[in-house]
Amino acid sequence: MIRSWSMATGGLHWETSAQVTLPPTSYKLQLFLSSESKTLVVLMSEQIYAVSLTSGKVKWITNLSNTNAVSYKYMHIDADHAYAIGITDGSHVTVATVNLETGKVTSQDSVAASWITPSTECEVLTTAKFVCFDTRMKHFYSLLLPEGRVFLASTLSDLALHATTTKDVMLAQLQGDTVALRLTPTHHALIRLDAAGAVHLTKDLRQVMVVGTTSAGNTPLVLTLSRSSTDTLKLMAYNLNNDMAVEIEDLINLPSNHGSPEKLFPYTFIRRESGFGYKLLISSEDHSAAFFSQAGDISWVREEALASIVSVEMADLPVSEIQAKFEEEFGSEHDDIVTMFNRRITTQLSELQLYISETLDRFLDNSKLTAYEKKKRALVRDDFNIHKIIVAVTTAGKIFGIDNLSGELVWQTFVPQLIPYQHGDTQTLPLFVMRTTAHFPHPPEYAVLGKHQVTGKGMLYVFSPISGRPLDIGITGIVELDYFVRHAFLLVQHDAHFLRPIILMDPDNKVYVYPPSCEDVLAETASQQYLFSADRDTGVLTGYNIEYSKSSGFVSSPVWTANLPRESQVIAHVVPKMANDHVHSQGRVLGDRSVLYKYLNPNLVVVTTEGKDEQEKSYVNLYLIDVITGQIVFSANHARSTGPVTIVHSENWVVYTYWNQKLRRNEIAALEMYEGKTQSNTTAFSSLAPPPPPIVERQAYILPYIVTAMAATVTEKGITNKHILLALADGGILELPKALLDPRRPINPTAEHREEGLIPYMPEISAPKEMIVNYNQSVFNIHGIHSAPAGLESTSLVFAYGLDLYCTRVWPSKMFDVLKDDFDYWLISVVLTALIFSSILLQKMAARKQLNAAWK
């Protein structure tokens, strides 16, 4: 997909896509501009296509012959031709000439280059030179295009330069025959190539973070950015035609929460009065793109990191200051009567003063308030707890606080050292809710777990979800662990300050507690704590029990092991139950008035695997495993099926989707587990003394949609009916009642089935358009849905994230606990008033009647 944006507003001009026949992982899309023909040429490995710069219309598509495993990665464009340059590892470079008007390939020539590898830094200069830097031998190589048949070599030492490490070296094209060589993240050098291809040092740029190039009129300029202060960058522009004279020197305001700039795309012009003006587009370390005008301030910024969210939580807002005073009103239980009375009077006077102050602020001009003060006043819990802060963690290491009502970014923070864990194609940064806002006066506390960028060891970032400010550890909130983290989970128990500790396990099975002050909490219940791990590389699932001794501390010992052979199947998903899921009813009332009790095992985990049988036909396996004992409670096999599989696991049921290869359709399956009509334990469930194997009801349905993500609605008490939320590939979010996926739906319903309210079975799920909760606001590439409860039992808050973001609220059982908008308040007021007056009148009439009867 290619999009054209407005520099002034950031708005979309056009977007287009080509019919690409290559898999997405086999190419890297690159853009090249031909100003003369107003054509945008797109290179994707051996495929090239041209797009009109004005309309976005695709002109032509060409496939390059690729008999020698050539990887086309570079291109040079002149007035009539495009030259695609490909490399063959350790062998040669291929130059393919393509006509810009017709897309026809006119020639393909090879040049020997035994030193070249896929990691070699190369650039194509506007003067038709192909230059490479070999990081292993630290040699420069240049080739004249298109007639050159041999590379010219020179060394880095000839320029009196030195690169300490090869991983930081990067080559970038500038104006004409000049290139920029990055030696370290803060050291660049400008190098010029002469007509013969020999290299010469033009300027050594130290403390420079990024280099860009442009021209104003006929003046070629090189622009550099260096750090001036925490939130300020220094912009310098050098004239390439005038011995690197300084033409622009200015300060750019870029907040530190964007990290270091990585790429600079400048645009310069000659002012009418004198000198040069500029506009800049800066791509930063946090995946943001910021546009700057001449004043040095941000015109607009796009937070592209929001397209890579991996963890989400919805945080309750704190109560208002008046409500917070209620907590202090009665004092401590250890105070005497006089102290409690004095505290109550002073607190109520303080509440009155605060109420008067807030009332006056509503009517007086509050323009003098700072933006932070205005935002702080708005971030107060409402009556129904619908207003929340969405805490989103991204793979870039940036954390956002988003207002769920307006979509405004309340706060943002960037942790450059934090990188995600990699599990196959999935990246994760677990987010832990250590303390919520419910425990006033203790502040809420969240933590993100990741890896340190340099050491690879565990790293925690502890912060407040309301302000985004770091907590506990100095001013950074960063906790660098001195061990690698293999597994982590949040303890159910909390300490005296309502703080739930994080339990971490290293590869040697040693267990750690964060914060260390909560070790006593784990020590009290260590023998009752179990954890498990699933190794996708080996297919082994292992359960552990935590043991504690004063000499060796906390250690986990293996309790059980389950082996899912890697040779035949690969673990695709491991899905436990939702942490904020509530079970309201322990059973299901049948049509004959008996109760079918649910199999409510809180330790149950869904594991799905994908593989191929002996006939090379794909299959999907599903396992329900009790992670305390390792018992496989249930398993199912779907032959001739494949992923991607999406799963929802809640209460006593599992819903999942897969692709049926035999019938070439998407299917959605549901299974429910019951103990039977008698319950083995009415108080608590124990995996160590489990009930008999559950009765499993299951059924599959045809789903006429492609599902990219799936979740279930969550409410405060779990009384409201469950709905399944499905993110569709066509941009819709479908709200599907769980009753439609009931595996007990009968083919021929009886009177008892109708009494129970079961819907007759139909093989295909037909959902009307009214079930699309986002209506015509399409959201694409959604890879996750998060659901959170509101203060109203009828309401569930939904946040879908991916390339697009969408937040809304749904009412699975309608708004049964709120009056409707068309409720007739006037009528009920008149009726109530009439009843009150009637009761008073009748009371007086009855009293007079009794008095008259007494005188007779």
Side-chain angles (χ1 to χ4, degrees), residues 10 32 44 49 82 154 163 211 230 296-297 333 351 383 386 416 437 446 532 603 767 775 847:
F32 302 91
M44 299 176 300
Y49 68 94
S154 56
V211 177
T230 304
D297 295 324
E333 59 182 3
E351 292 173 11
D383 294 336
I386 292 176
T437 56
Y446 282 26
F532 80 99
N603 308 311
Y775 306 107

Side-chain angles (χ1 to χ4, degrees), residues 709-738:
M710 190 163 57
T713 56
V714 178
T715 55
E716 185 75 15
K717 302 296 182 182
I719 301 173
T720 306
N721 293 333
K722 291 282 187 181
H723 279 196
I724 309 297
L725 301 165
L726 301 96
L728 309 181
D730 62 2
I733 299 177
L734 178 65
E735 183 185 3
L736 199 64
K738 173 62 175 60

Side-chain angles (χ1 to χ4, degrees), residues 282-596:
I282 298 177
S283 175
S284 299
E285 191 180 4
D286 68 333
H287 297 184
S288 66
F291 188 77
F292 295 83
S293 60
Q294 179 70 40
D297 295 324
I298 295 180
S299 298
W300 53 263
V301 60
R302 294 183 62 86
E303 297 290 352
E304 295 298 332
L306 288 170
S308 58
I309 295 175
V310 290
S311 296
V312 171
E313 288 288 347
M314 286 194 183
D316 295 339
L317 290 172
V319 296
S320 64
E321 294 186 35
I322 292 179
Q323 292 173 320
K325 294 290 184 182
F326 295 158
E327 302 288 341
E328 306 174 1
E329 186 168 329
F330 297 98
S332 172
E333 59 182 3
H334 303 293
D335 296 337
D336 55 24
I337 296 177
V338 177
T339 304
M340 294 175 64
F341 178 76
N342 290 335
R343 184 186 294 273
R344 183 170 185 179
I345 294 299
T346 55
T347 303
Q348 290 181 347
L349 290 175
S350 177
E351 292 173 11
L352 178 62
Q353 181 183 1
L354 187 61
Y355 175 76
I356 294 173
S357 175
E358 289 184 354
T359 304
L360 292 176
D361 288 340
R362 295 176 183 176
F363 299 99
L364 299 178
D365 181 22
N366 60 355
S367 59
K368 296 182 179 180
L369 295 176
T370 63
Y372 174 75
E373 290 173 339
K374 292 180 181 179
K375 190 176 293 185
K376 183 178 178 182
R377 292 192 176 191
L379 296 179
V380 175
R381 187 182 306 176
D382 59 305
D383 294 336
F384 297 136
N385 197 17
I386 292 176
H387 192 188
K388 294 178 183 283
I389 292 290
I390 301 172
V391 180
V393 184
T394 67
T395 57
K398 193 159 189 179
I399 308 171
F400 295 92
I402 309 172
D403 191 315
N404 74 316
L405 296 184
S406 64
E408 178 188 0
L409 295 181
V410 180
W411 55 263
Q412 51 185 290
T413 185
F414 178 54
V415 189
Q417 307 96 321
L418 188 69
I419 61 173
Y421 288 95
Q422 189 80 31
H423 303 289
D425 296 333
T426 305
Q427 292 181 314
T428 58
L429 282 169
L431 177 62
F432 298 102
V433 182
M434 301 177 66
R435 184 165 54 210
T436 67
T437 56
H439 305 293
F440 181 85
H442 302 292
E445 190 167 330
Y446 282 26
V448 177
L449 174 65
K451 293 193 301 183
H452 194 280
Q453 189 176 28
V454 178
T455 64
K457 294 182 179 180
M459 178 177 170
L460 284 167
Y461 178 70
V462 186
F463 63 98
S464 166
I466 306 303
S467 64
R469 295 177 179 176
L471 296 175
D472 292 340
I473 311 300
I475 61 174
T476 63
I478 295 175
V479 183
E480 294 187 14
L481 308 176
D482 58 355
Y483 50 87
F484 297 94
V485 177
R486 180 183 178 187
H487 188 71
F489 71 98
L490 196 65
L491 199 64
V492 177
Q493 292 79 11
H494 56 75
D495 65 2
H497 302 290
F498 305 99
L499 187 68
R500 296 174 60 188
I502 301 174
I503 311 302
L504 306 112
M505 186 178 73
D506 66 8
D508 296 327
N509 295 344
K510 187 171 177 58
V511 176
Y512 303 86
V513 181
Y514 178 82
S517 59
C518 293
E519 289 184 353
D520 293 341
V521 180
L522 178 60
E524 293 176 359
T525 60
S527 60
Q528 304 172 18
Q529 301 297 335
Y530 292 82
L531 61 154
F532 80 99
S533 65
D535 193 334
R536 286 181 168 87
D537 296 330
T538 61
V540 176
L541 288 82
T542 308
Y544 301 89
N545 177 230
I546 298 179
E547 299 176 351
Y548 173 71
S549 64
K550 293 183 178 180
S551 59
S552 58
F554 298 99
V555 178
S556 61
S557 58
V559 177
W560 59 266
T561 299
N563 187 15
L564 305 176
R566 169 76 180 181
E567 296 77 16
S568 59
Q569 56 188 334
V570 177
I571 297 176
H573 299 279
V574 180
V575 183
K577 291 188 176 181
M578 295 179 291
N580 59 348
D581 196 16
H582 299 282
V583 180
H584 176 70
S585 175
Q586 294 188 2
R588 179 171 181 170
V589 180
L590 303 180
D592 59 358
R593 296 297 188 269
S594 61
V595 177
L596 187 62

Side-chain angles (χ1 to χ4, degrees), residues 2 43 54 89 109 121 137 139 207 243 269 314 323 330 343 348 397 421 560 572 609 612 624 740 771 832 852-853:
I2 303 173
L43 174 64
T54 56
D89 187 9
D109 302 312
E121 291 287 333
M137 303 301 296
H139 282 190
Q207 305 304 320
D243 295 330
F269 53 90
M314 286 194 183
Q323 292 173 320
F330 297 98
R343 184 186 294 273
Q348 290 181 347
Y421 288 95
W560 59 266
T609 63
K612 293 185 177 180
L624 300 181
L740 290 178
M771 290 185 178
L832 288 175
N852 292 336

Side-chain angles (χ1 to χ4, degrees), residues 59-349:
K59 292 184 175 181
W60 48 260
I61 301 177
T62 297
N63 292 325
L64 302 174
S65 61
N66 193 2
T67 57
N68 296 321
V70 181
S71 175
Y72 289 93
K73 302 169 65 174
Y74 310 97
M75 180 173 287
H76 172 67
I77 297 178
D78 59 21
D80 302 316
H81 296 88
Y83 304 95
I85 304 171
I87 65 172
T88 301
D89 187 9
S91 178
H92 62 273
V93 169
T94 302
V95 180
T97 305
V98 182
N99 188 292
L100 276 180
E101 288 298 323
T102 63
K104 182 180 179 181
V105 180
T106 58
S107 66
Q108 281 186 281
D109 302 312
S110 296
V111 181
S114 59
W115 44 266
I116 200 162
T117 66
S119 61
T120 302
E121 291 287 333
C122 296
E123 286 291 341
V124 179
L125 307 187
T126 55
T127 55
K129 293 185 180 70
F130 180 59
V131 58
C132 295
F133 181 74
D134 183 7
T135 57
R136 298 171 301 172
M137 303 301 296
K138 299 179 182 178
H139 282 190
F140 279 98
Y141 296 91
S142 60
L143 175 70
L144 301 179
L145 298 175
E147 67 276 1
R149 293 296 178 266
V150 64
F151 280 94
L152 180 64
S154 56
T155 64
L156 186 63
S157 58
D158 296 339
L159 304 176
L161 295 174
H162 178 67
T164 55
T165 59
T166 58
K167 68 175 183 178
D168 294 326
V169 176
M170 186 179 297
L171 197 65
Q173 175 193 0
L174 299 180
Q175 285 281 341
D177 288 319
T178 305
V179 296
L181 179 65
R182 189 185 78 170
L183 302 172
T184 69
T186 57
H187 184 195
H188 290 71
L190 300 185
I191 297 172
R192 182 179 57 84
L193 282 77
D194 59 22
V199 296
H200 306 276
L201 179 63
T202 301
K203 191 174 184 61
D204 191 8
L205 300 171
R206 298 184 181 273
Q207 305 304 320
V208 169
M209 307 170 72
V210 64
V211 177
T213 181
T214 184
S215 60
N218 296 323
T219 305
L221 299 174
V222 173
L223 286 81
T224 66
L225 288 176
S226 57
R227 180 66 67 184
S228 176
S229 63
T230 304
D231 293 329
T232 307
L233 299 175
K234 185 177 182 180
L235 173 67
M236 300 287 290
Y238 301 95
N239 190 334
L240 286 175
N241 287 347
N242 190 15
D243 295 330
M244 300 299 292
V246 177
E247 302 289 355
I248 299 175
E249 185 173 356
D250 204 353
L251 295 178
I252 302 294
N253 298 317
L254 183 67
S256 58
N257 58 21
H258 289 287
S260 301
E262 289 189 332
K263 292 184 179 180
L264 174 63
F265 304 93
Y267 169 73
T268 56
F269 53 90
I270 301 175
R271 291 177 173 178
R272 291 183 179 178
E273 54 276 12
S274 63
F276 295 91
Y278 66 87
K279 294 181 180 180
L280 305 175
L281 179 66
I282 298 177
S283 175
S284 299
E285 191 180 4
D286 68 333
H287 297 184
S288 66
F291 188 77
F292 295 83
S293 60
Q294 179 70 40
D297 295 324
I298 295 180
S299 298
W300 53 263
V301 60
R302 294 183 62 86
E303 297 290 352
E304 295 298 332
L306 288 170
S308 58
I309 295 175
V310 290
S311 296
V312 171
E313 288 288 347
M314 286 194 183
D316 295 339
L317 290 172
V319 296
S320 64
E321 294 186 35
I322 292 179
Q323 292 173 320
K325 294 290 184 182
F326 295 158
E327 302 288 341
E328 306 174 1
E329 186 168 329
F330 297 98
S332 172
E333 59 182 3
H334 303 293
D335 296 337
D336 55 24
I337 296 177
V338 177
T339 304
M340 294 175 64
F341 178 76
N342 290 335
R343 184 186 294 273
R344 183 170 185 179
I345 294 299
T346 55
T347 303
Q348 290 181 347
L349 290 175

